């Protein structure tokens, strides 16, 4: 997979925000997974669930109670073909 961390740093530097990176130790995953599933209340096959949980745990540990992320932007801006098809069908009043 592509490493996009340098882009995040560049954007942060450009707009003058504080940049903080959260990394998971792969050794922690076996104990993290059951906690994530428990909090979800159901199994979930999306791997971003584990990283999101770890990110928000780090945010909370830093003393924050609210965080905004870019998660979901692909759906909002039509980054996936299935989302464009659904939006076009909805606009035309058709089921997709």
């Amino acid at each position: 997979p592509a490493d996009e961390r340098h882009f995040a740093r560049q954007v942060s530097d450009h707009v003058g925000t504080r940049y903080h990176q959260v990394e998971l130790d792969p050794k922690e995953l076996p104990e993290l997974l059951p906690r994530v599933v428990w909090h979800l209340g159901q199994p979930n096959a999306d791997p971003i669930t584990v990283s999101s949980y770890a990110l928000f745990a780090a945010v909370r540990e830093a003393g924050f109670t609210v965080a905004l992320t870019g998660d979901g932007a692909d759906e909002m801006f039509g980054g996936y073909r299935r989302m464009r098809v659904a939006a076009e069908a909805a606009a035309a009043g058709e089921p997709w």
Side-chain angles (χ1 to χ4, degrees):
D3 184 348
E4 299 176 346
R5 290 177 288 188
H6 65 284
F7 294 122
R9 169 70 76 181
Q10 285 177 344
V11 170
S12 177
D13 291 346
H14 179 74
V15 297
T17 61
R18 192 171 6 170
Y19 179 83
H20 182 80
Q21 186 170 300
V22 176
E23 292 191 25
L24 288 176
D25 181 347
K27 295 174 190 169
E28 296 175 13
L29 290 177
E31 76 170 47
L32 187 59
L33 194 55
R35 288 199 320 247
V36 171
V37 172
W38 184 88
H39 283 285
L40 286 171
Q42 62 186 5
N44 186 317
D46 191 348
I48 197 169
T49 306
V50 176
S51 59
S52 294
Y53 178 87
L55 172 63
F56 295 132
V59 168
R60 180 71 176 137
E61 188 175 305
F64 298 96
T65 54
V66 175
L68 300 175
T69 72
D71 198 25
D74 288 331
E75 290 82 354
M76 179 180 287
F77 296 112
Y80 296 119
R81 183 178 184 284
R82 68 179 185 273
M83 300 312 253
R84 287 191 303 276
V85 169
E88 291 165 1
E94 303 169 0
W96 58 285

